[in-house]
């Protein structure tokens, strides 16, 4: 038995959760950096004692250990060849909030935004936790301590080290200590080993500081964002021998943090955001010194490439409130009252206009503030896959200089990029002198890696010549540790090595980080991927040169927005389980490892990773890098099941349009049979969950009342209304309501029920059948006009808009896709063009709870229903704000029923409980059925029914 196997066996016997499966190791082989290192195991400790036990066993076996929070490191300091400890699964408790002392004590796995929300709730909005990196919705406090993370508002609040009071840590050999100002103590005063170790370490650290007083005073803490290296200046006598803060920024290489006591800050009473436009980032940087005199909270910079990509991916309305320019600064000011802050903002604007560099600037409306901050916070992902089609990578993504040197540094840095034939996408914390940049390296080729190495060395020499730091926030990790001798003297490098040895003499904690580093081009994730053609049914171009499927899957760069539980719709299965395997990132990493394997499309690990993906498509919109896991899943299933029996649900639910055409003739008999005790048995035989509430099938006579016959080639309306499979088979009254609404806005409506989007075949990975139906639809709908094509079912509208041109790569398909609208998008468009609907009678509700379909959210945007409802005078709009949990066939399948209901509890179920009696607007049929499952008596309606001039509410 080798050392790793023995450690895993001992931990399992002790009850510590630890996994070694191939799929799990693939998920943890990556973080958000350029690197891939396969661990031997992943452990999920439940408390500090579990962490100590893990480290004792690993120390005895000489097995390296890597601590990991949200796995968002861009420097490669959250991966390694030993045992990875994931703190984010269980160590997630906020232990204490002391408002009087303005402190909080929390476990290492608490997510930063969750901590801030918890503090604000507990203190009535008076206090918060300040550090707010762009990854704050998934980064943990342990990771923030490890990297000394900062964030957008670091101009005011500094780095994480400025907020740390004490740390509960575990040493490399499993001893639990508390690091504080003035030294170390035993976490358990009754543990004699811990007491001795605390005294010994305190003594040795004090001796280290005394021997290197001059170097520590002259080489460290020179600029606000000097994050590179260990923070030994905190050990100086004048800094109080603060051992806790000396460990901040040590990247898990000295001890592992299991809990922290942190300082809280007041929430400002009044805030204003200025958005300033410039011709380029250098011009913007030249105004930073002036802006800093106004004591801003934040000064953030961004260039046009990020904005262009955001608009391409999420629509033009996703970026609102930008003045003219090609680069922008966000300046946040705060104060005691609105008038004072507004006056300060006007004074700053006037001074900047006088300086003459502005191309535009204004105070941002409250409605646009969140939109602009989201663009900035998604910068790392948006810049990874640009609207131009270029790919860019980290590696030199967070250098820093003194703010007064920033403009000159940026000018020189831009020249350096040009000299090396590279392009950089710039954004960052300009007020703190910290620049984030992703660069168009080519890590796939040997020549590209050599060029990358040459550039990084030249960039390090450049930033040092400006008195700066290789890292201003993300740490050194695998990306920059090798370059530290260019920044620090031989004495300081020796002091770093001694500090590491005092804490970790056997060099087991995150080896190679900061000291004793390997080559920065070792272990690059894209360096050894086999060249192979992966044929696909979906057209995944445009893509850079190379295999389109490979490039699409490698689009995930680990930003981990999918691990957020507080923004957007993605990723519903991760929100239900909080397990990396169920995140979009986890699935992408498994697919990336699939590209390396010999089994290809038959990978069982990939099938398992994709099983709980709801194919909601939210990642295609919410993921800053544009990862579209629903498409990848469909493609994978198509290949995986070729020549193999499929799950029975793929035949029952996947072929639903075919079955509905047959069932319509005998619908009453089928409905009666399903209402008997045989109903659940029949459902189970069809792969459908017996507990799932089933819809009633529509009989043909009722269908004919609401839906006209097949298309008459001689008739043309101003709008084409597509009556989809779900509307025909289950809700035909929606079709007649939609016709009346549209006829109140246009002269004539052409109704079509002879086309199919192939959605059920797409979601089950039966792509040849899907393409057959879409090809037919494109031929029928491409009629030489540009008339809007309105599709009542949002998921079908999304399939026509996105999947049609990707599966049927013809001009006709592209023309049809461009004409497609969801019904709510059409209503909003008509209202914007001056149409005013006739008000429904008094039976129509004044308010509704909105459950937007995920596909509509992803493809047509989040604001469509709100705009449409406001246009028709609905004043009370409660939005559930997440996936309903059904997502087409997923929630109907027997093996997914429990997950479906867990997803419903994230947003829809709480929204229903919070709005008793309020009708639910559910345009999506799957959303409608989930409402019926959760609250059978709740009135649900389609937008067409809500604004129908006749306000019919007939049910089949």
């Amino acid at each position: 038995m080798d050392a790793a196997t023995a450690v895993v066996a001992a931990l399992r016997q002790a009850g510590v959760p630890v996994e070694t499966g191939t799929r799990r190791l693939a998920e943890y082989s990556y973080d958000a950096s350029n690197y891939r290192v396969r661990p031997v195991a992943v452990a999920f400790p439940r408390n500090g004692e579990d962490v100590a036990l893990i480290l004792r066993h690993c120390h005895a076996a000489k097995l390296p250990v890597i601590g990991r929070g949200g796995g968002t490191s861009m420097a490669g300091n959250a991966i390694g060849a030993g045992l990875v400890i994931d703190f984010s699964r269980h160590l997630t408790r906020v232990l204490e909030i002391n408002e009087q002392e303005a402190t909080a004590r929390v476990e290492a796995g608490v997510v930063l935004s969750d901590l801030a929300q918890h503090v604000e709730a507990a203190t009535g909005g008076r206090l918060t936790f300040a550090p707010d990196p762009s990854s704050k919705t998934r980064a943990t406090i342990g990771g923030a301590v490890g990297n000394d993370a900062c964030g957008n508002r670091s101009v005011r609040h500094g780095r994480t080290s400025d907020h740390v009071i004490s740390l509960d840590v575990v040493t490399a050999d499993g001893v639990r200590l508390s690091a504080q100002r003035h030294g170390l103590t035993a976490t358990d005063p009754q543990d004699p080993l811990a007491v001795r170790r605390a005294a010994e370490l305190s003594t040795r650290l004090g001796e280290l500081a005394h021997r290197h007083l001059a170097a520590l005073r002259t080489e460290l803490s020179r600029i606000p964002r000097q994050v590179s290296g260990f923070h030994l200046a905190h050990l100086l006598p004048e800094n109080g021998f603060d051992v806790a803060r000396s460990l901040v920024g040590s990247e898990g290489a000295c001890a592992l943090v299991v809990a922290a006591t942190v300082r809280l800050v007041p929430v400002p009473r009044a805030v204003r955001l200025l958005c300033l436009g410039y011709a380029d980032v250098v011009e913007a940087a030249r105004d930073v010194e002036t802006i800093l005199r106004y004591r801003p909270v934040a000064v953030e910079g961004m260039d046009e490439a990020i904005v262009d990509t955001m608009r391409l991916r999420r629509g033009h309305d996703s970026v609102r409130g930008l003045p003219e320019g090609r680069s922008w600064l966000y300046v946040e000011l705060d104060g005691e009252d609105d008038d004072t802050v507004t006056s300060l903002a006007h004074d700053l604007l006037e001074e900047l206009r006088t300086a003459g560099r502005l191309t535009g600037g204004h105070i941002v409306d409250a409605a646009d503030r969140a939109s602009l901050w989201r663009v900035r916070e998604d910068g790392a992902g948006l810049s990874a896959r640009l609207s131009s089609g270029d790919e860019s990578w980290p590696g030199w993504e967070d250098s820093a200089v003194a703010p007064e040197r920033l403009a000159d540094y940026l000018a020189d840095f831009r020249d350096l990029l040009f000299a090396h034939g590279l392009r950089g996408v710039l954004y960052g914390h300009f007020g703190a002198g910290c620049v984030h940049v992703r660069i168009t390296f080519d890590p796939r080729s040997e020549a590209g890696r050599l060029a990358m190495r040459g550039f990084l060395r030249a960039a390090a020499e450049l930033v040092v010549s400006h008195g700066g730091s290789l890292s201003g926030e993300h740490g050194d990790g695998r990306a920059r540790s090798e370059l530290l001798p260019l920044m620090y003297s031989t004495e300081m490098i020796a002091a770093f090595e001694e500090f590491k040895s005092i804490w970790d003499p056997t060099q087991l904690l995150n080896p190679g980080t900061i000291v004793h580093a390997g080559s920065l081009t070792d272990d690059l994730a894209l360096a050894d991927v086999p060249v192979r053609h992966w044929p696909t049914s979906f057209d995944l171009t445009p893509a850079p040169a190379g295999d389109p499927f490979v490039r699409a899957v490698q689009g995930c760069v680990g930003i981990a927005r999918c691990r957020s539980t507080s923004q957007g719709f993605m990723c519903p299965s991760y929100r239900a389980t909080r397990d990396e395997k169920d995140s979009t990132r986890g699935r992408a990493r498994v697919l990336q490892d699939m590209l390396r394997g010999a089994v290809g499309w038959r990978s069982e690990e990939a099938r398992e990773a994709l099983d709980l993906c709801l194919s909601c498509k939210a990642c295609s919109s919410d993921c800053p890098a544009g990862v579209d896991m629903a498409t990848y899943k469909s493609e994978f299933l198509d290949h995986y099941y070729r020549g193999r029996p499929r799950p029975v649900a793929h035949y029952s639910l996947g072929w639903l349009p075919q079955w509905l055409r047959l069932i319509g003739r005998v619908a009453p008999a089928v409905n009666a049979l399903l209402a008997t005790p045989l109903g659940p048995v029949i459902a189970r035989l069809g792969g459908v969950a017996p507990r799932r509430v089933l819809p009633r099938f529509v009989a043909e006579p009722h269908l004919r009342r609401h839906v006209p016959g097949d298309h008459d080639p001689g008739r043309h309306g101003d709008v084409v209304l597509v009556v989809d499979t779900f509307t025909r088979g289950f809700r035909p009254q929606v079709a007649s309501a939609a016709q009346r609404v549209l006829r109140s806005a246009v002269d004539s409506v052409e109704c079509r029920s002879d086309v199919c989007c192939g959605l059920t075949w797409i979601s089950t990975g039966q792509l040849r059948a899907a393409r057959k139906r879409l090809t037919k639809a494109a031929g029928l709908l491409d009629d030489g006009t540009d008339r809007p094509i309105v599709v009542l079912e949002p998921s079908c509208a999304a399939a026509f808009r996105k999947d049609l041109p990707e599966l049927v790569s013809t001009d006709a398909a592209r023309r049809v896709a461009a004409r497609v609208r969801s019904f709510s998008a059409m209503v909003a468009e008509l209202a914007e063009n001056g149409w005013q609907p006739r008000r429904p009678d008094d039976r129509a509700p004044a308010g509704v709870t909105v459950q937007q379909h995920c596909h509509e959210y992803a493809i047509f945007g989040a604001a469509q229903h709100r705009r449409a409802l406001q246009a028709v005078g609905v004043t009370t709009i409660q939005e559930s704000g997440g996936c309903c949990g059904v997502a087409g066939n997923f929630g109907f399948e027997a093996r997914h029923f429990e997950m479906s209901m867990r997803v419903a509890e994230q947003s829809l179920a709480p929204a229903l409980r919070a709005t008793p009696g309020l009708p639910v607007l559910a345009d999506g049929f799957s959303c409608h059925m989930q409402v019926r499952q959760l609250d059978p008596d709740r009135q649900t309606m389609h937008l067409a029914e809500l604004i129908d001039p006749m306000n019919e509410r007939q049910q089949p």
Side-chain angles (χ1 to χ4, degrees):
M1 183 182 295
D2 63 23
T5 303
V7 168
V8 169
L11 292 176
R12 285 175 173 165
Q13 186 175 8
V16 177
V18 58
E19 297 185 31
T20 58
T22 303
R23 191 213 72 240
R24 181 64 81 192
L25 299 186
E27 295 158 8
Y28 284 80
S29 296
Y30 307 79
D31 50 15
S33 70
N34 295 327
Y35 302 95
R36 173 186 179 270
V37 183
R38 193 174 183 83
V40 299
V42 183
F44 303 93
R46 298 157 299 186
N47 49 48
E49 189 49 49
D50 275 359
V51 177
L53 182 65
I54 292 167
L55 284 168
R56 287 196 292 271
H57 281 291
C58 289
H59 184 263
K62 297 182 171 55
L63 181 66
V65 176
I66 299 91
R68 179 179 173 115
T72 57
S73 166
M74 291 191 191
N77 49 29
I79 53 175
L83 182 143
V84 170
I85 299 179
D86 184 344
F87 287 89
S88 69
R89 177 80 67 83
H90 300 299
L91 276 79
T92 57
R93 294 182 299 162
V94 176
L95 301 170
E96 180 185 9
I97 294 174
N98 188 323
E99 183 174 3
Q100 184 175 0
E101 296 184 8
T103 62
R105 184 166 179 266
V106 298
E107 291 183 322
V110 174
V111 171
L112 298 179
S113 61
D114 291 348
L115 172 58
Q117 291 168 12
H118 197 105
V119 169
E120 289 165 21
T123 63
R126 290 179 289 275
L127 296 176
T128 192
F129 182 65
D132 62 339
S134 296
S135 58
K136 62 181 178 292
T137 59
R138 56 269 190 201
T140 64
I141 189 70
V145 169
N147 284 359
D148 201 2
C150 311
N152 297 330
R153 293 165 180 83
S154 64
V155 174
R156 170 68 55 79
H157 297 299
R159 293 148 39 183
T160 298
S161 52
D162 297 310
H163 301 270
V164 166
I165 296 171
S166 67
L167 300 173
D168 292 350
V169 303
V170 182
T171 65
D173 58 348
V175 178
R176 299 189 64 183
L177 302 175
S178 294
Q180 303 157 345
R181 192 174 179 86
H182 308 309
L184 288 155
T185 60
T187 301
D188 178 5
Q190 305 305 313
D191 181 351
L193 174 60
V195 171
R196 290 197 303 273
R197 182 64 59 79
E200 173 194 340
L201 288 172
S202 294
T203 299
R204 294 186 64 189
L205 292 172
E207 293 170 348
L208 168 68
H210 183 73
R211 282 196 303 275
H212 300 287
L213 286 174
L216 268 58
R217 285 170 173 152
T218 57
E219 295 190 47
L220 302 178
S221 300
R222 293 175 291 108
I223 61 173
R225 286 296 196 91
Q226 188 171 345
V227 168
S228 280
F230 293 123
H231 299 350
L232 304 188
H234 291 294
L235 298 178
L236 289 167
E238 60 266 31
N239 292 330
F241 189 61
D242 195 330
V243 177
R245 293 186 180 183
S246 74
L247 285 172
V248 180
S250 59
E251 304 180 34
C254 297
L256 295 184
V257 176
V258 295
T261 301
V262 295
R263 181 174 64 91
L264 306 177
V265 302
V267 174
R269 296 184 179 181
V271 175
R272 288 289 181 272
L273 178 65
L274 280 174
C275 193
L276 311 173
Y278 294 87
D280 59 43
V281 291
V282 174
E283 287 291 282
R286 295 205 185 281
D287 271 350
V288 166
E289 282 192 88
T290 299
I291 295 167
L292 289 177
R293 293 203 304 271
Y294 286 75
R295 297 183 54 80
V297 181
V299 184
E300 296 293 296
M302 179 177 64
D303 77 10
E304 65 180 339
I306 292 173
V307 173
D308 291 345
T309 302
M310 183 76 153
R311 285 176 168 155
L312 174 71
R313 195 162 294 147
R314 297 176 184 156
H316 193 272
D317 286 348
S318 63
V319 185
R320 303 186 306 271
L322 284 180
E324 182 182 351
R326 301 182 65 182
S327 292
W328 296 272
L329 290 180
Y330 296 179
V331 180
E332 189 170 276
L333 302 168
D334 68 354
E336 288 298 311
D337 58 78
D338 291 340
D339 290 344
T340 301
V341 183
T342 301
S343 176
L344 186 67
H346 284 302
D347 290 347
L348 174 56
L349 268 174
E350 184 60 32
E351 184 169 353
L352 294 175
R353 287 183 179 124
T354 301
R357 283 182 281 268
L358 280 183
T359 57
H362 60 260
I363 299 174
V364 177
D365 293 340
D368 292 339
R369 194 179 305 160
S371 167
L372 288 179
W373 275 122
R374 183 172 181 183
V375 181
R376 168 59 191 87
E377 290 171 356
D378 281 354
L382 292 169
S383 60
R385 298 293 180 270
L386 296 169
S387 59
S388 63
D390 290 336
E391 297 177 320
S392 65
W393 305 96
W396 191 256
E397 79 287 342
D398 75 323
S399 56
V401 296
E404 60 270 21
R405 298 288 297 270
L406 180 61
D408 291 341
Y409 169 62
L410 284 177
D412 290 345
F413 182 74
R414 198 165 53 183
D415 290 344
L416 183 67
L417 285 169
F418 181 79
H420 283 257
L422 298 168
R423 181 186 176 197
V425 184
L426 290 156
Y427 60 104
H429 313 292
F430 280 29
C434 181
V435 181
H436 294 319
V437 58
R438 296 182 72 100
I439 301 172
T440 55
F441 297 128
D442 175 19
R444 292 182 171 89
S445 70
E446 182 64 29
R449 293 189 289 273
L450 286 172
M452 176 180 177
R453 182 177 186 83
F455 174 84
L456 291 174
R457 185 173 184 88
E461 292 169 346
L462 175 64
V463 76
V464 169
S465 73
H466 281 271
S469 174
L470 312 185
S471 171
E473 180 170 21
H474 296 157
D476 300 307
R478 298 171 184 275
R480 288 173 286 275
S481 293
E482 180 192 355
L483 301 172
L484 285 173
L486 297 177
M487 178 177 170
Y488 290 114
S489 68
T490 302
E491 179 185 358
M492 184 56 65
I493 296 296
F496 289 162
E497 292 175 352
E498 184 179 352
F499 184 70
K500 162 76 169 176
S501 293
I502 289 172
W503 282 102
D504 179 20
T506 54
Q507 308 290 306
L508 291 181
L509 295 181
N510 212 353
T513 296
I514 301 181
V515 298
H516 309 303
S519 169
L520 58 84
T521 50
D522 286 348
D523 301 316
L524 290 172
L526 301 184
D528 57 353
V529 179
V531 177
R532 174 181 174 184
H533 178 54
W534 294 78
T536 60
S537 296
F538 284 97
D539 180 1
L540 298 174
T541 56
D547 187 281
F549 182 75
V550 174
R551 294 301 179 99
V553 169
Q554 290 174 344
C556 175
V557 293
I559 301 300
R561 180 76 180 269
C562 48
R563 283 176 55 104
S564 169
T565 60
S566 59
Q567 292 182 350
F569 278 51
M570 137 179 110
C571 173
S573 51
Y574 173 77
R575 295 185 182 197
T577 67
R578 304 296 175 93
D579 190 322
E580 178 74 16
K581 77 179 179 66
D582 299 318
S583 68
T584 304
R585 179 179 71 175
R587 295 180 180 113
R589 296 314 198 184
V590 174
L591 288 174
Q592 288 172 15
D593 264 25
M594 183 186 85
L595 302 178
R596 301 169 179 273
V599 297
W601 295 109
R602 296 302 175 98
S603 166
E604 288 298 327
E605 290 77 18
R607 184 199 60 77
E608 182 183 358
L610 291 167
D611 182 56
L612 292 184
C613 171
L614 281 77
S615 296
C616 68
K617 290 187 181 290
C619 53
S620 68
S621 171
D622 283 353
C623 172
V627 172
D628 182 0
M629 193 54 62
T631 294
Y632 310 158
K633 177 181 180 179
S634 181
E635 190 70 63
F636 174 82
L637 292 177
D638 184 59
H639 289 270
Y640 180 86
Y641 283 113
R642 285 184 185 177
R644 289 180 169 183
R646 288 174 169 270
V648 66
H650 285 201
Y651 302 106
S652 60
L653 299 171
W655 285 74
L656 184 64
Q658 296 291 86
W659 305 133
L660 285 175
R661 290 190 177 274
L662 297 174
I663 291 172
R665 301 168 186 170
V666 291
V670 173
N671 290 333
L673 180 62
L674 292 177
T676 71
L678 285 176
V681 177
I682 295 170
R684 190 185 300 277
L685 290 174
V688 175
R691 287 183 287 168
R692 173 62 63 186
V693 172
L694 298 177
R696 290 179 59 81
F697 297 97
V698 172
E700 282 195 354
H702 186 81
L703 175 64
R704 287 194 294 271
R705 283 184 52 205
H706 295 281
V707 180
D710 288 341
H711 166 65
D712 178 357
R715 295 183 57 213
H716 284 287
D718 299 301
V719 171
V720 180
L721 178 65
V722 170
V723 184
D724 56 88
T725 292
F726 299 101
T727 303
R728 279 177 53 89
F730 302 113
R731 297 197 293 180
Q733 73 279 2
V734 172
S736 54
Q739 291 176 75
R740 287 188 289 271
V741 171
L742 293 175
R743 284 170 182 160
S744 72
V746 300
D747 290 337
S748 60
V749 178
E750 176 187 344
C751 187
R752 303 201 66 135
S753 58
D754 56 344
V755 294
C756 177
C757 69
L759 175 64
T760 57
W761 287 277
I762 293 171
S763 63
T764 53
Q766 302 179 73
L767 298 183
R768 277 178 278 198
R771 185 189 288 112
K772 178 181 178 181
R773 285 152 180 84
L774 283 168
T775 300
K776 177 184 175 182
L780 292 172
L781 293 171
D782 185 37
D783 54 13
T785 74
D786 59 359
R787 296 176 299 160
I789 299 171
V790 181
V791 185
L792 290 170
E793 167 60 39
S795 58
C796 295
F800 277 125
R801 171 65 70 86
K802 184 177 187 297
D803 297 325
L804 169 60
E806 292 180 359
L807 283 171
V808 183
S809 186
T810 64
D811 289 341
R814 287 184 280 273
R815 286 192 295 266
V816 169
R819 293 165 52 198
V820 169
R821 315 281 198 276
S822 68
F823 186 79
S824 62
M826 189 69 216
V827 168
E829 183 178 319
L830 290 170
E832 288 172 1
N833 291 331
W835 168 68
Q836 292 185 342
R838 294 195 295 271
R839 291 298 301 266
D841 63 28
D842 293 339
R843 289 175 293 167
V848 293
T849 296
V850 176
Q851 174 58 43
Q852 186 175 20
H853 196 289
C854 295
H855 289 195
E856 183 173 30
Y857 168 88
I859 306 304
F860 296 97
Q864 298 295 351
H865 271 99
R866 195 179 313 116
R867 291 164 56 203
L869 288 168
Q870 289 170 348
V872 301
V874 177
T875 55
T876 304
I877 305 171
Q878 303 291 333
E879 297 180 87
S880 82
C883 180
C884 73
V886 172
N889 59 289
F890 181 91
F892 277 88
E893 293 175 1
R895 72 180 192 275
H896 294 146
F897 179 78
E898 293 296 340
M899 176 56 64
S900 172
M901 303 314 294
R902 289 174 67 181
V903 171
E905 284 296 330
Q906 296 167 14
S907 57
L908 177 57
L912 293 178
R913 290 192 289 266
T915 58
L918 201 63
V920 180
L921 186 67
D923 285 4
F925 181 69
S926 56
C927 306
H928 163 77
M929 289 306 300
Q930 189 73 310
V931 173
R932 286 190 57 192
Q933 183 81 33
L934 295 165
D935 190 350
D937 297 325
R938 185 68 67 101
Q939 181 187 19
T940 65
M941 62 181 71
H942 190 282
L943 178 62
E945 298 173 286
L946 176 67
I947 59 177
D948 177 7
M950 292 180 60
N951 197 36
E952 287 193 348
R953 294 295 301 143
Q954 301 175 14
Q955 296 291 340

